[in-house]
Amino acid sequence: MSSPFSLFRRHQRVLMVVTTGLAMISFVLLGAIQDPRDMPMPLVVVFLAAIVGGIFWLAGLSRGKGADWGLTGVVIGVALGLAMIWAGREPNAVTMEGGDLKSSELNELMQNRQIANNFVQMAARAGIADNDESEAAQQALTEAAQRIQQNLFGFNRNREITSEDVVLGEVLRREATEMGMSISDDVVKKFITKISGGKLTGPEFSKIRKTLRVSETSLIEILREEILSQEAARLLSDPILSSQTPLTPQNDWNFFQKLHVKQTAELVSIPVSSFVSDSVKPTDEELQALLNQYNKNLPGFTPEGRPEEGRPGFYQMPKMELAYLEAVFDDIKATVGEVTDEEIQKRYEDEYLREVPDSAPAGAMPSTGSSAIPAPALPVRPQTPEAATPAKSTEDSPSEKSDEKPAPAKEEAPPKEEPKKETTPEEPKSEAAPKEETKPEPAKETPEAPKEAAPKEETSSEPAGDEKSQSSIVTPLGKLQFVSLQDDEKKSEAPAPAETPEDPAKETEAPAPEAPAKEAPSPEAPAAKEADAEDPAKSLEAPAKPKTDAEQPAETKKAEEKKAEPPKEEKPESEAAPAEEKKPEAGDKPAEAKPEMKANPLGDDDLPPAPESNVPALDDTLKAELREDILRERTHAKITTLMDEAYEFVRDLSGKYRLGKIDENYVSLEEATKQIKKYAEENNLEFIETPFLTLNELQTSEDYPIGSAFVQSFAASRGLQTVVEQLQQSIPTMLFNVNQARRFNFGDFGASESRFVYWKTGFKEAYSPETIDDEPSVRQQVTKVWQQQQAAPAALKRAEALQKLLLKSDKPMTDALADETVTGDPDSLFLTVRETGEFTMLTEGAAQSTNPFQPQQPGMPRYSNIPGAEDVGERFFNKVFEDLNVEDVGVAPNRDGSAYYLVRIKTRTPDSPDEVNKLRSDFLNQGQQFAYLFLGEQLRNEYALNWARDLMKKYDVQFLANQRDSVSPEES
């Protein structure tokens, strides 16, 4: 068998040339390629043509046809190379005018941005030692951080490197090239000097370049491209791009008008849902196409995070799955037992009945010898007219003031009423003779004493009677009564003496009442009676006073006796007669003018009326209320016990779950769920599992009340936070972390409380759905949007037809639309016209302050809430404030396009030139406000996004094959 090298020996010269050529290609061309996968495709074609052609040439040498075979091999090699290029060609990641970008090119742009930003960070810290903690070094680090923040490359707020951001940089470079912009090496060197503070040396620059694994030329070129795109952005967006650029006074005036221009309107709502047809069903292909169009953004936002009203969105926010135990009030209530009548009676007595201390009967008058027994220190009588002193009674009497001389004689008249306390009227007359002589002397002083001082008369009147050990303030036990102290008005309306026309003897109810002894009251009579009332012993031993009548003329005495003949029941009416009030003015009988009250407010027995009781009777209604109170208390107590025990049980399982599978006591989440379900059944608790819900869906859900419950939190300003707030602050992936929550309910029988023990059983990250069947909620969302898009044109057409009707009619909106329905169909609902009241475009509100001593801070400006218009936003307010004038009619959609509103403007303030001038004056006097800063920042961001959006639209930038790698919508 011949050696394979025999062929080489025969064609040694030719093969040496071929081998040398291949070696040259390999060392020269392939040496410049670090990764064979990055080999340029033309070079791959040449390499394959050479290899295949050489192989065919060698095969043809043995047959003497090396050249023919070699040429055939070259053609085959080129064909293979081209086929490989076509089969392995890279698809475009981004299409745009001026040249598309492939995935490798897009990745290269992102790598270059990363290299440029890393260089900025390293160069800014040049010359600063890592372990130097001196004050100078810390100051240098602070300055370096500021330079880094100001010079990082990027066009979004956080300088994050995304596909959209680097594509925008490439578009800006192409726009700069068209404008003739270029960046020289000197500009790059100045930039490096600026970011390093002039401290970057040659060796440090080489060290940074080696760390980044890039050549000096490549690094300079990368910086040149990034600086070019940054300068182009400044030229296109200046001065809006810079957040430090102040806005013009015109901007502030526009903000002020949005906050203070007021108007009223009347509107009609046209819901789009009223025009949805149930007979039209979307196909899966239509739903999938709609999903693909809006699966990268949230509703009302673009994929870049820019607000765009009416734009659908199917980007799925993070979702959580919960499980919880609940003690249902009605279920627990049925287990606490019935309430007995004895319990209801005891509750009634505890809540409505109060023990009142027993008092001595009013008629149980102690004997004379027992009158010195000290009574409770409660001066009841001085508070009533009977307890007033003689001096005080004469001071208040108008008859006494008009004539003071007959006073001593008039004092002697009332004692005729005193004998009623004795069994026989004759005996007092004989026994009281010596006491008559002593009585007139103090009686003369009584009219004069009121002029000096009423309190002094009380002390001077006591020694006028028998000097006994009993004090005038001490009241006999028989006269003690509970009185109401709320009748102050009657007391102030009439003088004290006018309220005491009755004899004090009536209070003691003496067994021998004598009608002849009773006389018409004189001005001095109440005074004398009050003095006797203060001294009970004296009132019992006062038979001497009737003898004073002997000093009076016989005719006068007979006349007075006749006046005393009427029965006691008629005396109050005669005393209250208004004719007696006029007699003191004539001066004939001032004694008869004493009474001023028409009726005795203290009653016939001179005692205050008993206070009325407003204690409800224990009827069936009250029994039902008390029964519910007792049941509710029992139920709450049992719920508290059950839920505390359930919390300990579930928390014990949670601890075993966290031990991990390597522990013998480990319990899986599935096994723990089974045990909890069994525990709930045994203890009459309800076990509930929620589907995957977003936090907003959980908070507004009516099926799962756990979303509106509260958790005790010491970190919260008010000591409580909602379950949604607690879940939002928790670690998303931490499952089976047990907590307790409460929910307050209000019903017909008062407030009740629900208790929960809950934990998280699942978590889903935010994502962009790829198909309508990723989860059931995705199909529901897409179907709802599809139906709304189909019905929106019909709703808008109906609103415009009603607008034309109003413009042609001169009637008020309510009358013009009185017979119109929402859809125009007679079977549809009638339109409802609503008055909005006065509103502005924007309102500030107030931010809650956690410090009670600090005033509330102004809140962020937001669109006003208008009665009758739900979820209205920029499109609605721009229409009613900028496009419509007073009495104009227009159609405006709400924020998500689910309804159209037919609006007529009624009034607007300011409306006249004077009012506008006043508003402008208020604006100038008010000065800079917090709302202007917030609105100005929004305006800057809007312009910053708008110029970028317009530039991308100019180059018709389209991202293909899901190459969009942007910030998630909720972070942008």
Side-chain angles (χ1 to χ4, degrees), residues 82-93:
L82 293 176
M84 291 179 61
I85 293 175
W86 182 259
R89 67 186 181 88
E90 184 180 8
N92 292 329

Side-chain angles (χ1 to χ4, degrees), residues 688-819:
I688 300 174
E689 291 180 293
T690 71
F692 279 99
L693 300 172
T694 64
L695 293 180
N696 184 55
E697 291 173 345
L698 179 63
Q699 188 173 21
T700 58
S701 173
E702 296 181 357
D703 298 329
Y704 305 103
I706 183 68
S708 57
F710 290 88
V711 181
Q712 186 175 6
S713 173
F714 297 102
S717 59
R718 60 183 183 272
L720 294 174
Q721 62 178 177
T722 63
V723 171
V724 171
E725 292 173 342
Q726 188 272 329
L727 292 173
Q728 192 172 15
Q729 297 172 4
S730 65
I731 301 175
T733 56
M734 181 179 290
L735 305 181
F736 208 4
N737 188 24
V738 187
N739 291 281
Q740 286 183 300
R742 300 181 179 186
R743 185 173 184 265
F744 304 100
N745 311 304
F746 299 93
D748 297 336
F749 293 98
S752 61
E753 179 184 3
S754 299
R755 295 281 298 273
F756 304 91
V757 175
Y758 71 97
W759 59 96
K760 192 190 310 179
T761 58
F763 176 76
K764 283 185 178 181
E765 296 281 356
Y767 73 101
S768 298
E770 297 298 332
T771 66
I772 58 177
D773 295 323
D774 281 359
E775 54 181 303
S777 61
V778 174
R779 176 181 284 272
Q780 295 173 2
Q781 294 172 14
V782 179
T783 302
K784 181 179 179 180
V785 171
W786 185 88
Q787 292 175 341
Q788 180 175 312
Q789 289 182 345
Q790 299 300 313
L796 178 60
K797 183 178 179 181
R798 175 59 177 166
E800 292 175 346
L802 294 174
Q803 178 187 10
K804 294 179 181 178
L805 177 63
L806 287 176
L807 293 175
K808 294 179 180 179
S809 175
D810 56 353
K811 298 180 180 180
M813 193 173 188
T814 305
D815 298 338
L817 303 179
D819 299 330

Side-chain angles (χ1 to χ4, degrees), residues 503-515:
D503 292 338
K506 285 186 178 182
E507 299 178 2
T508 58
E509 295 293 335
E514 292 185 1

Side-chain angles (χ1 to χ4, degrees), residues 284-300:
D284 289 350
E285 290 75 13
E286 292 174 328
L287 296 179
Q288 186 63 44
L290 186 61
L291 174 66
N292 294 338
Q293 186 177 0
Y294 300 109
N295 66 339
K296 302 295 183 181
N297 61 275
L298 291 171

Side-chain angles (χ1 to χ4, degrees), residues 52-85:
V52 176
I55 294 174
F56 271 74
W57 178 74
L58 291 175
L61 287 177
S62 59
R63 297 175 175 80
K65 298 181 179 180
D68 296 339
W69 283 52
L71 182 61
T72 303
V74 169
V75 174
I76 294 175
V78 171
L80 288 175
L82 293 176
M84 291 179 61
I85 293 175

Side-chain angles (χ1 to χ4, degrees), residues 112-168:
N112 291 344
R113 175 70 62 78
Q114 186 67 54
I115 291 173
N117 284 341
N118 289 342
F119 176 79
V120 170
Q121 295 176 4
M122 295 179 180
R125 298 188 180 93
I128 303 175
D130 295 337
N131 299 327
D132 192 353
E133 297 182 357
S134 62
E135 184 177 353
Q138 297 300 320
Q139 180 65 25
L141 285 174
T142 303
E143 295 175 356
Q146 294 176 354
R147 291 195 297 270
I148 291 173
Q149 184 65 28
Q150 295 173 358
N151 294 283
L152 281 177
F153 296 105
F155 306 100
N156 55 51
R157 185 183 296 268
N158 299 322
R159 301 294 192 269
E160 294 187 14
I161 301 175
T162 63
S163 58
E164 282 92 347
D165 206 60
V166 296
V167 170
L168 178 59

